[in-house]
Amino acid sequence: MKQMDTIKNAHSKDEAPVSTGVLAVKVDDLTVAYNYKPVLWDIDLEIPEGVLMAIVGPNGAGKSTLIKAILGILKPIAGSVSIYGKPYHKQRSLVAYVPQKGSVDWDFPTTALDVVMMGTYGKLGWIKRPGVKEKKASLEALEKVGMLAFQSRQISQLSGGQQQRIFLARALVQDASIYFMDEPFQGVDATTEIAIINILKELRKAGKTVIVVHHDLQTVPEYFDWVTFLNVKKIATGPVMDIFNDDNLTKTYGINYKVSVQK
Amino acid sequence: MNSAQFEIQLIASLVAIACAIPGTFLVLRKMAMISDAISHSILPGIVVGFFITQDLNSPWLILLAAFTGVITVALVERIQKTGLVKEDTAIGLVFPALFSIGVIMIAKNANDVHLDVDAVLLGELAFAPFDRLTAGGTDIGPKSLWVIGTILTITIGLLIAFFKELKVSTFDPGLSASLGFSPLVIHYGLMTVSSVTTVGAFDAVGAILVVALMIAPAACAYLLTTDLKKMLGLAVFFGVFSAISGYWMAHWLDASIAGSITTMLGVVFLLIYLFAPSKGLIAVMYRDKQQRIEVSLLTFLLHLKNHSEVRERHVNHLNEHINWQKVKSETVLDLALKNNMILINQNIVSLTAKGDEFTSQAIDYIITNEDAQIEDMKEDFFLFRG
Amino acid sequence: MNLQEYFSLVFSDYTLRTITLGTAILGAVTGMLGSFAVLRKQSLLGDAISHAALPGIALAFLITGAKDSNTLLIGALVSGLLGTFWIRGIISKTHLKSDTALGLILSLFFGFGMLLLTFIQKQPNANQAGLDKYLFGQAATLVESDVWLMAIITGICVVVMFLFWKEFKLLLFDADYTKTLGFNTKIIDILITTFIVLAIVLGLQTVGVVLMSAMLLAPAAAARQWTNSLSTMVLLAAIFGAFSGVFGTAISASQDNLSTGPVIVLVASVFVIFSFVFSPSRGLLFRQIRFISNRRDLEFQKTLSFMYHIAETHDDISHPHTIKILNNFQGFTRKTLQKLVDKNYVTIDGTMWSLTEEGFKTAANLYNQNIKTHE
């Protein structure tokens, strides 16, 4: 119960969307198919700069696929993505990614600091090694997520929540403008959840755009100011205050879906 | 064809059948590499058994060696459970070590053991007819024929008795446990049968070629059918076919029979891999091309349905926004026109009533996760396929 | 020759020096690259590749008639790569799973190779002696040029690994993320795979096709147990591999009639077993010791908190109670009671126990902590 209070305190009204009218991400007619079965169909999406956006939808709705297609991990069969008005592959340095925690082998022989340092590799490019500057940035990122004390821990000896924080720190160190996160709250403890959402809100304050695949509908209005409903097609996208309602939830989740939305 | 030749072919065919049956289940259970591990690690068991019994065809030797095979499986699983290494690594660590022990034992006792390393890898099928079994003074056939015949009979008996259990536990281990037969018992039962068969076949075709006889016929059959009974039948057929044709190839080339049988299996697999009607490489690539165009067509139709603005429905938009090459856009437009899905009026594309209905149905199926229905639907709506 | 003689001759005798150097280099390079194979979960790919190389060796011999190892190794390389790509083709284009694809290519290529070998043996003019060594390996047949080849390829491999260390590590840990950072994962993948195939092919003459895969896995699996750093792991795997190579060759050279392959593999397996048991952080022995000591701690705490709950009900916390009431409580043993006395948490007077002031405080702290973690 105490934790719920903390969350509410963190979410005060002065944190309204800092939208600047500039488009951070623009997706046009994006279609992705696995084995020639469409999993995302003709998605048009405009994400304004400075929003903290949740992507919600039932299992198999293509939420992770959408992020992966935007980031070029999956090849779409149609459509295009632009980041601040230019094709994605020219704007890679503006984008950071937090994959699902389960997508990697946590028994890999490496330390927490080492994983965070990987975030600096993109800017370094081929062959060049990270130096003092990169290490300093990585330590700062570790401190931001409250993991500085664990920097030389082997990653398998971290709890699920701590592993997620390491992933977050790795994205922070990329110093990007747009952050894509695939279910960052899955399997983490309550303290980590608060820590993560506070960092996301800080990012938004600094004018960054944050896009999160999210599962827990109850927390959408508390955590986010923008939301996209997705189920193979885009159902709706816009400010949480305007579109997070039973009507859109039902359209997305099929059966009469009711959630007590706190407004 | 003399009687020795006939006997060799008979033994080879029986070995092929005895291997194909457990092999089918190993392939379906994604455990094909376990047969590789078993076939190597039974070697020390065979050598020790040979010291004790002095007879390669003794049932005790077969049981002892088969036991080594089951131990290997247990050992691999034990190592996996420690979490020290990943699953595959455990297999890759255990069998070379055991095989090495076997090879060294043979080398160190070369004078006492009439086993040589070539025999271990290749078997001695050509000599099989000369080691005869006599009962009450009369010759009743080659020993290995009796050995593999017995193993095959037991295997078929077990297959018939436990067919249902095997089937359920292979396709749905969870359901099998809830129905009351332990997946563990079935698992170790299958491992035991595989081990016994490997030992029995080992003498005839050698360690590594047992693996070929277990996996290749089953893999061929799996490319042709997914029905378990048909798959077993086809695997047996491919095994026997390769055994007999391989024998004649060896005869003609004057080379190893086991090597020839494996080569024939390789040829059969290559042909099926290329030409299998719906799962072969050529069929898959043809379907890929068709599906790629048809899925693009669906994408395009939905795009038309989603957008009423003229700008979004202009022919040129396909190239610019949907990000397609010119050739691809033309193919898709062409297919849509041929199937009466769209109309083009002054370079503005719009859906016909038929196209609209098709698109609505398709999206319904995809959202409700019944994508399989789309194929049937295409049959109904399409005059021409992509 | 016994082992002692071997080691005394290693530095003076030309042949022994060549062979020893060769197996040491081979062990080192397979150990290094094996670490990558193990971490990519491609442990059994090495087994398939080495078996798939056999027909290449036989065909190279049939076509060129040459017996020098370089020509034969090119054949092995081509056939090994062909096998690797076919495995990938089977997995991506059909519904056969990776284990089936590996087993298929392994056994079919090997069977074809054996057919060719027996065919070559029957050729009247061919002096085929020497092809057999590719089955189980014969280190004694290594000559100086073979060792040079190994050294050069190992050198290239070390340089490439040094240059692309960052990229290799990134791809091994998180391939998707590597893509988003703008690296071409295909190039990194091809680099790693090519070097693994090269290392396998290099080892065929010494260890043989049948057991080559163990040379990739065993040193890496042993090294993984001792460290949590990728660079240390690769280094350790190289050292373990080199030692396995040298010791294995020494033992097999000092005995008659023993192929090198099986002996090297057994030495490497000893490294693995030792590491599994005795590694301080992951090893089974220390894990068991930790497990037992944890259980003792737990029993100790449970007994103390049980006593605390009894003492709580009395005004005087040191009010004596009979030991009997502890008997029907699970965590209790004589030993834990003795330990409590040693720590001065409890005093015993005959068959009665009573909690001390210190014991009560500690127990109260334990109790509060438990409540906190359950919250």
Side-chain angles (χ1 to χ4, degrees), chain A residues 2-3 68 71-74 88 92 95 97-99 103-111 114-115 118-122 124-130 154-157 167 170-171 174, chain C residues 38-41 92-93 161-185 187-188 191 224 227-231 233 281-282 375:
Chain A
K2 268 182 209 160
Q3 282 133 16
K68 285 183 179 166
L71 292 171
I73 298 170
L74 294 173
Y88 166 70
R92 275 216 172 88
V95 172
Y97 173 47
V98 179
S103 66
V104 301
D105 170 20
W106 287 98
D107 196 35
F108 193 83
T110 190
T111 58
D114 231 24
V115 173
M118 288 177 186
T120 65
Y121 289 6
L124 286 168
W126 288 89
I127 297 177
K128 234 175 116 190
R129 297 288 185 90
Q154 207 274 322
I155 49 173
S156 68
Q157 292 160 5
F167 260 13
R170 183 175 73 170
Q174 285 182 259
Chain C
V38 166
L39 291 173
R40 299 191 79 188
K41 298 177 195 91
S92 68
K93 287 291 171 205
M161 198 152 72
F162 191 75
L163 285 178
F164 296 103
W165 180 256
K166 179 180 97 225
E167 288 77 11
F168 283 1
K169 182 159 80 176
L170 193 58
L171 181 77
L172 290 176
F173 178 62
D174 194 342
D176 278 357
Y177 187 70
T178 312
K179 267 190 205 165
T180 68
L181 291 184
F183 292 101
N184 187 330
T185 48
I187 293 179
I188 312 176
L191 266 178
R224 176 68 190 90
T227 175
N228 282 325
S229 140
L230 180 63
S231 47
M233 176 178 164
S281 60
R282 294 162 68 99
E375 206 177 16

Side-chain angles (χ1 to χ4, degrees), chain B residues 179-195:
Chain B
L179 289 180
F181 29 90
S182 149
L184 200 70
V185 172
I186 305 237
H187 171 69
Y188 274 97
L190 181 62
M191 289 301 114
T192 311
V193 170
S194 305
S195 297

Side-chain angles (χ1 to χ4, degrees), chain B residues 148-215:
Chain B
I148 200 68
T150 313
I151 293 174
L152 180 59
T153 313
I154 296 173
T155 306
I156 291 177
L158 288 170
L159 177 70
I160 292 168
F162 296 105
F163 186 77
K164 186 183 80 224
E165 285 81 358
L166 268 166
K167 189 174 174 179
V168 174
S169 76
T170 299
F171 293 104
D172 192 347
L175 176 66
S176 142
S178 69
L179 289 180
F181 29 90
S182 149
L184 200 70
V185 172
I186 305 237
H187 171 69
Y188 274 97
L190 181 62
M191 289 301 114
T192 311
V193 170
S194 305
S195 297
V196 172
T197 311
T198 306
V199 183
F202 183 89
D203 185 31
V205 295
I208 292 157
L209 309 182
V210 173
V211 181
L213 278 175
M214 288 219 173
I215 303 175

Side-chain angles (χ1 to χ4, degrees), chain C residues 190-326:
Chain C
I190 288 174
L191 266 178
I192 295 180
T193 312
T194 311
F195 275 106
I196 290 178
V197 177
L198 259 177
I200 290 171
V201 168
L202 274 184
L204 294 181
Q205 192 181 350
T206 318
V207 184
V209 297
V210 181
L211 293 166
M212 191 54 216
S213 68
M215 279 305 284
L216 281 178
L217 301 190
R224 176 68 190 90
Q225 311 311 321
W226 298 95
T227 175
N228 282 325
S229 140
L230 180 63
S231 47
T232 319
M233 176 178 164
V234 171
L235 194 69
L236 268 181
I239 294 170
F240 287 162
F243 271 106
S244 312
V246 173
F247 282 130
T249 312
I251 294 169
S252 94
S254 59
Q255 312 265 328
D256 295 332
N257 211 354
L258 219 54
S259 298
T260 0
V263 187
I264 294 183
V265 167
L266 274 188
V267 174
S269 304
V270 171
F271 275 109
V272 173
I273 296 171
F274 184 82
S275 307
F276 276 10
V277 177
F278 294 107
S279 140
S281 60
R282 294 162 68 99
L284 297 175
L285 181 69
F286 290 94
R287 197 190 283 182
Q288 192 62 29
I289 291 173
R290 270 196 302 276
F291 176 73
I292 292 171
S293 89
N294 279 348
R295 203 172 51 193
R296 287 236 181 89
D297 279 356
L298 200 67
E299 275 170 14
F300 176 79
Q301 289 181 6
K302 263 161 110 188
T303 314
L304 190 61
S305 70
F306 185 70
M307 290 169 158
Y308 170 78
H309 284 301
I310 297 171
E312 231 182 0
T313 56
H314 292 264
D315 291 340
D316 174 19
I317 51 155
S318 293
H319 180 85
H321 303 272
T322 168
I323 290 175
K324 266 187 202 154
I325 45 171
L326 297 177

